[in-house]
Amino acid sequence: MNVIEVNNVSMKYRLATEKVDSIKQYLIKKAKRELHYEDFYALNEISFSVAKGEVFGIIGLNGAGKSTLLKIISGILKPTTGSIKVSGKIAPLIELGAGFNGDLSGIENIYLNGLILGYSKKMIKSKIEEIVEFSELGKFIHTPIKNYSSGMKARLGFSIATIVQPEILIVDEVLSVGDIKFKEKSEKKILSMMEQGATILFVSHSLGQIEKLCERVVWLEGGRVRKIGHTKEIIEEYKKITLNN
Amino acid sequence: MKTHVYNFLKYKDLFLELIRKDINLKYKNSYLGVLWSLLNPLLMMIVLTIIFSEVFQNKIENFPVYVLTGRMLYSFFSESTNFAMNSIINNSQLIRKVYVPKYFFPLSRVCSSFITSLISLIPIILVMLLTGVHFSFYNFLIIIPLFLLLIIAMGAGMILSTIFVFFRDMGHLYSVILMILMYMTPIFYPASIIPDRYHWLIELNPLYPLLKIFRDVLMYGQMFEWSELLIAAAYAVIYFLVGIYVFYKKQDRFIFHI
């Protein structure tokens, strides 16, 4: 059974040759017919599917469209054409702690961030101790978050995002959260989620990590699928071609 | 439609939390906290009463309550729509990173302003007591104008926040519009001084019929005029529907402009 199906997805951006953000400018340019746009395809006719329980990697150079693809799958962006079918609850570990408010305390932010991730209030209440414990913030949990270090924020974000066993986990280079100790702990957590049957989409520039974790990989290049298949073959070819250039 | 309802139910806790957060943050780091929502209208009332009753010698009966009621509706509308206008931009970090129903931001801002504005009913009732206004059952009907105003502010908030994403000039323009709106609303002058030939212009202001209903039921303890209610309800429906339409049509493009 496929939990993620991506069908012919294209993402077109209209790049204005100049930035127009005031009504006056817009009207003048419009009247003079000086509004020019350039089409730019961040993704072009992407199709693939991911089966339940699979660990699926996405590789490609910077600007290949990896992040755009993740954003489309997690529903932040709508594709220009094509369709996406996702069945199951997604935990996007793309941007940890999105929506943290500096003036609120750690506890208050757990509620806010948890609700943003789509948890119910009751659920968060029952898990709050577990979150605090995993984040190792201890007594700082009642301090306004603006006084946290970036590592503390990331730890809290990670702890909130991984508190439920998701059906689909999107991981975008976040295994590098916090210090070595926490990094190990977070890797362990992700591995345990994998064992419990979560489908995982994994984006990383570390080919070692990809080889270790993923069964299949899609290789994006310039917004198109260059190749899709078993990790070993693709990584080999990817290494050969990107390193030669 | 069904998926929208389902989606709303899934995130409804978030909606309530956003409202609570706004209210919390509003009073955080201030010593008097909520008291400001009581003091602010009272201080304003004192200033306006001195200016308009003593200096300009107007003939409005029970001027303090007259000003307080007008001020309450106007300042709710201006505050909530202003906040709502900025809400999408202020939450751009969030919108770019996770999926959240975007209409939550303008609507929760309007709702939080609504709740804090309701606090200024307390000074109104206090001053009514002090000035010996008779209370009546009609007073309870204030729910009607307040509800309609909430709907209008939601609609206007959605329209403004959409425009503001694409054109930041709207911020400057809207402050001018709000000022015009203030003078078009009989907050500190009697509606009767408006010449008849300009009456149609005043009726364009959605606050006008609402304020009339509001004062009728609260201050004068009498039934409102049905024609006023009809106009106000029509405004509410139009603003809300246009707001939803504009916002819904454009929301997928927000992310390219924030």
Side-chain angles (χ1 to χ4, degrees), chain A residues 122-147:
Chain A
K122 224 168 76 194
M123 209 287 282
I124 301 171
K125 213 173 227 163
S126 67
K127 297 272 190 185
I128 196 129
E129 273 168 36
E130 207 178 318
I131 295 173
V132 175
E133 195 182 319
F134 194 86
S135 69
E136 299 174 7
L137 283 168
K139 61 183 176 185
F140 296 112
I141 202 72
H142 295 292
T143 331
I145 229 173
K146 60 184 170 194
N147 301 329

Side-chain angles (χ1 to χ4, degrees), chain B residues 8 21-22 44 86 104 106 112 169 175:
Chain B
F8 178 78
K21 182 200 77 175
D22 284 342
M44 171 122 166
N86 290 295
F104 273 25
S112 61
D169 301 38
S175 60

Side-chain angles (χ1 to χ4, degrees), chain B residues 46-59 63:
Chain B
I46 292 169
V47 173
L48 288 175
T49 306
I50 291 171
I51 295 174
F52 286 95
S53 315
E54 302 301 319
V55 184
F56 287 106
Q57 311 259 329
N58 75 55
K59 297 272 175 321
F63 192 73

Side-chain angles (χ1 to χ4, degrees), chain B residues 23-189:
Chain B
I23 296 175
N24 263 342
L25 287 177
K26 180 171 175 161
Y27 299 117
K28 212 160 199 166
N29 298 329
S30 75
Y31 286 107
L32 295 181
V34 184
L35 265 183
W36 277 116
S37 286
L38 305 177
L39 280 177
N40 204 333
L42 283 176
L43 293 174
M44 171 122 166
M45 175 202 82
I46 292 169
V47 173
L48 288 175
T49 306
I50 291 171
I51 295 174
F52 286 95
S53 315
E54 302 301 319
V55 184
F56 287 106
Q57 311 259 329
N58 75 55
K59 297 272 175 321
I60 298 173
E61 177 199 347
N62 199 350
F63 192 73
V65 178
Y66 191 86
V67 163
L68 276 177
T69 46
R71 196 214 69 101
M72 177 180 165
L73 295 201
Y74 173 77
S75 59
F76 160 66
F77 186 79
S78 72
E79 184 191 280
S80 64
T81 49
N82 233 328
F83 279 148
M85 179 169 73
N86 290 295
S87 62
I88 297 287
I89 298 295
N90 286 345
N91 289 291
S92 59
Q93 285 296 323
L94 194 59
I95 294 171
R96 259 182 288 174
K97 288 173 182 169
V98 276
Y99 169 78
V100 180
K102 292 188 245 319
Y103 61 85
F104 273 25
F105 298 114
L107 294 194
S108 68
R109 276 318 316 221
V110 171
C111 288
S112 61
S113 285
F114 187 72
I115 291 168
T116 51
S117 294
L118 285 183
I119 298 172
S120 47
L121 272 177
I122 297 171
I124 294 182
I125 292 168
L126 249 144
V127 176
M128 280 170 70
L129 272 173
L130 287 175
T131 52
V133 175
H134 287 289
F135 288 89
S136 83
F137 272 119
Y138 286 118
N139 294 159
F140 291 107
L141 291 178
I142 56 166
I143 295 171
I144 297 170
L146 287 178
F147 174 74
L148 290 176
L149 186 59
L150 176 69
I151 299 293
I152 290 175
M154 282 177 167
M158 281 190 283
I159 298 169
L160 287 165
S161 61
T162 308
I163 298 174
F164 192 61
V165 168
F166 300 99
F167 296 109
R168 304 296 153 86
D169 301 38
M170 199 59 211
H172 301 288
L173 188 60
Y174 192 56
S175 60
V176 178
I177 293 176
L178 276 179
M179 194 181 70
I180 297 172
L181 201 66
M182 185 180 86
Y183 286 107
M184 278 171 73
T185 312
I187 299 173
F188 38 72
Y189 61 79

Side-chain angles (χ1 to χ4, degrees), chain A residues 55-59 171-177 183-184 186-188 190-191 194 200-217 231 235 239:
Chain A
V55 181
F56 192 80
I58 301 174
I59 55 172
V171 186
D172 187 2
E173 311 257 18
V174 281
L175 293 183
S176 48
V177 159
K183 202 168 145 182
E184 219 166 81
S186 57
E187 263 180 28
K188 226 184 246 162
I190 289 179
L191 284 174
M194 245 153 90
I200 295 184
L201 271 188
F202 190 69
V203 172
S204 179
H205 284 291
S206 147
L207 295 178
Q209 267 184 342
I210 297 251
E211 267 181 318
K212 203 166 77 188
L213 296 172
C214 301
E215 295 145 37
R216 283 198 310 144
V217 179
T231 312
I235 295 267
K239 268 185 191 159

Side-chain angles (χ1 to χ4, degrees), chain A:
Chain A
M1 197 189 90
N2 290 331
V3 282
I4 302 173
E5 269 177 51
V6 179
N7 295 317
N8 285 319
V9 163
S10 294
M11 188 72 210
K12 185 172 84 176
Y13 285 90
R14 237 175 26 156
L15 300 178
T17 34
E18 270 174 276
K19 189 171 166 62
V20 179
D21 55 5
S22 76
I23 297 173
K24 186 190 86 185
Q25 259 182 26
Y26 179 81
L27 291 178
I28 292 174
K29 298 256 174 194
K30 189 114 192 169
K32 287 186 176 171
R33 292 170 192 275
E34 275 179 9
L35 282 173
H36 299 300
Y37 296 104
E38 229 176 277
D39 284 350
F40 167 74
Y41 282 90
L43 293 177
N44 210 332
E45 305 267 303
I46 304 272
S47 296
F48 63 88
S49 55
V50 181
K52 191 169 164 46
E54 198 174 6
V55 181
F56 192 80
I58 301 174
I59 55 172
L61 299 174
N62 285 332
K66 301 184 299 283
S67 301
T68 312
L69 184 60
L70 289 190
K71 281 185 177 172
I72 288 179
I73 292 173
S74 50
I76 303 165
L77 285 173
K78 276 230 174 87
T80 321
T81 56
S83 68
I84 294 268
K85 235 179 83 187
V86 175
S87 29
K89 188 173 162 31
I90 302 185
L93 295 190
I94 309 176
E95 301 278 357
L96 293 171
F100 275 167
N101 187 309
D103 286 324
L104 299 175
S105 74
I107 287 277
E108 288 168 307
N109 269 303
I110 291 178
Y111 278 103
L112 190 60
N113 190 255
L115 292 168
I116 284 167
L117 292 175
Y119 307 158
S120 73
K121 188 140 195 173
K122 224 168 76 194
M123 209 287 282
I124 301 171
K125 213 173 227 163
S126 67
K127 297 272 190 185
I128 196 129
E129 273 168 36
E130 207 178 318
I131 295 173
V132 175
E133 195 182 319
F134 194 86
S135 69
E136 299 174 7
L137 283 168
K139 61 183 176 185
F140 296 112
I141 202 72
H142 295 292
T143 331
I145 229 173
K146 60 184 170 194
N147 301 329
Y148 283 20
S149 72
S150 52
M152 287 161 87
K153 267 188 240 174
R155 259 150 52 195
L156 186 60
F158 184 88
S159 313
I160 301 168
T162 53
I163 200 62
V164 278
Q165 168 71 22
E167 276 139 326
I168 301 162
L169 188 67
I170 298 183
V171 186
D172 187 2
E173 311 257 18
V174 281
L175 293 183
S176 48
V177 159
D179 51 22
I180 299 181
K181 216 177 87 211
F182 194 78
K183 202 168 145 182
E184 219 166 81
K185 195 169 155 187
S186 57
E187 263 180 28
K188 226 184 246 162
K189 180 103 184 182
I190 289 179
L191 284 174
S192 87
M193 284 180 162
M194 245 153 90
E195 276 159 21
Q196 284 174 49
T199 309
I200 295 184
L201 271 188
F202 190 69
V203 172
S204 179
H205 284 291
S206 147
L207 295 178
Q209 267 184 342
I210 297 251
E211 267 181 318
K212 203 166 77 188
L213 296 172
C214 301
E215 295 145 37
R216 283 198 310 144
V217 179
V218 62
W219 171 8
L220 295 182
E221 195 179 71
R224 290 174 185 276
V225 174
R226 166 96 186 229
K227 223 164 187 184
I228 187 166
H230 285 285
T231 312
K232 231 181 177 166
E233 308 155 27
I234 292 192
I235 295 267
E236 234 162 69
E237 204 179 327
Y238 178 76
K239 268 185 191 159
K240 219 188 293 171
I241 288 182
T242 46
L243 292 178
N244 281 348
N245 287 341

